[in-house]
Amino acid sequence: YAWPARSWLAPGEFVELMIDQDEVEKETRTLAEGFLGPHRARHPDVPADTYVAPGDAAGHLVAASRDAELVVVGRHRRRLLAPARMIGSVTHAVLLHAASPIAVIPPSPPEE
């Protein structure tokens, strides 16, 4: 998981965000662990490391792909009004730039 370290006001004008990095990292890690918890319970033999850092998520994944055997990314649910937009910008960037094989995983069907 990653979050922006800075934002822009106008083209070429960046401003550093005034945030508590430690608190954002803690909340992000808690969120990630919550998402991973059910998957870890179902697949205890599959290692899954949590890495949180400020910056561009796609850039972090592309950089990590240089040393990876496989990069796994998710896909959005199909949207009624935008059926062509089934992958997000992070998944798209990883597909274009990763150095390793990539697995794009669709979302689980909604539970009834």
Side-chain angles (χ1 to χ4, degrees):
Y1 282 83
W3 61 91
R6 60 185 188 163
S7 185
W8 59 275
L9 300 172
E13 293 183 31
F14 290 96
V15 62
E16 297 298 319
L17 298 176
M18 302 301 291
I19 59 174
D20 182 344
Q21 287 289 118
D22 292 334
E23 187 62 30
V24 171
E25 182 175 335
K26 179 182 167 190
E27 289 179 22
T28 302
R29 186 173 303 283
T30 300
L31 180 64
E33 293 296 336
F35 283 129
L36 283 173
H39 301 289
R40 285 182 170 148
R42 281 195 305 265
H43 307 285
D45 295 336
V46 177
D49 297 326
T50 303
Y51 174 76
V52 297
D56 173 42
H60 286 300
L61 289 169
V62 168
S65 75
R66 294 183 195 114
D67 298 323
E69 292 181 33
L70 177 68
V71 174
V72 180
V73 292
R75 172 176 74 70
H76 292 290
R77 291 190 190 285
R78 195 179 292 257
R79 297 180 182 130
L80 289 176
L81 299 177
R85 297 180 63 198
M86 294 190 298
I87 65 170
S89 59
V90 172
T91 299
H92 188 252
V94 172
L95 283 169
L96 290 176
H97 302 291
S100 67
I102 305 152
V104 179
I105 308 300
S108 300
E111 294 182 16
E112 300 289 329

